[in-house]
Amino acid sequence: MIKVRFLTPDGDLAVEAEGAAGDRLLEVGQARGMPLEGTCEGQMACSTCHVIVAAEDFARLPRASEEEEDMLDLAVGATRTSRLSCQIVLTPELDGLTVSLPSEHRNMQGR
């Protein structure tokens, strides 16, 4: 199993999660109750699963596609290390990955 850590926006709470190789970070986070909306169900048509990857872990990820970068342009609070969690597929190389949830997000479902 591959371990990942989700940090709340204020950094006060860390939630540990595990997923198998090939799992998407979006579903791993949702299974642990993280508020990763994923309105488009991972089709890269929204930015509601935006996470901020820890700077020390960012280089371990494959480069974002142009389409993902375009969607990140719409994400509230995007940073240099922002990614869409639906585009992060867990691999053994990502064991120990830490991501933060942005302090605000755009709720595409109107809840």
Side-chain angles (χ1 to χ4, degrees):
M1 294 301 274
I2 298 156
K3 295 182 181 190
V4 295
R5 178 186 305 158
F6 293 89
L7 302 177
T8 58
D10 55 16
D12 284 347
L13 179 64
V15 174
E16 304 287 335
E18 289 185 344
D23 288 350
R24 292 188 302 174
L25 187 63
L26 171 62
E27 285 87 11
V28 171
Q30 287 174 332
R32 288 291 284 139
M34 296 294 96
L36 295 168
E37 194 171 321
T39 300
C40 72
E41 298 180 354
Q43 300 301 308
M44 208 168 28
C46 73
S47 61
T48 62
C49 68
H50 165 227
V51 294
I52 301 167
V53 178
E56 61 272 15
D57 292 334
F58 190 72
R60 294 197 286 154
L61 295 173
R63 183 172 160 81
S65 67
E66 187 173 327
E67 294 84 6
E68 181 180 358
E69 289 180 0
D70 288 346
M71 291 312 307
L72 285 167
D73 287 342
L74 304 174
V76 176
T79 71
R80 184 183 62 77
T81 63
S82 288
R83 292 295 300 266
L84 298 178
S85 62
C86 70
Q87 297 303 299
I88 298 175
V89 177
L90 297 183
T91 63
E93 294 77 26
L94 295 180
D95 189 47
L97 179 72
T98 298
V99 298
S100 297
L101 303 174
S103 58
E104 55 183 295
H105 67 281
R106 185 172 290 131
N107 187 331
M108 304 298 271
Q109 293 181 335
R111 287 190 213 144

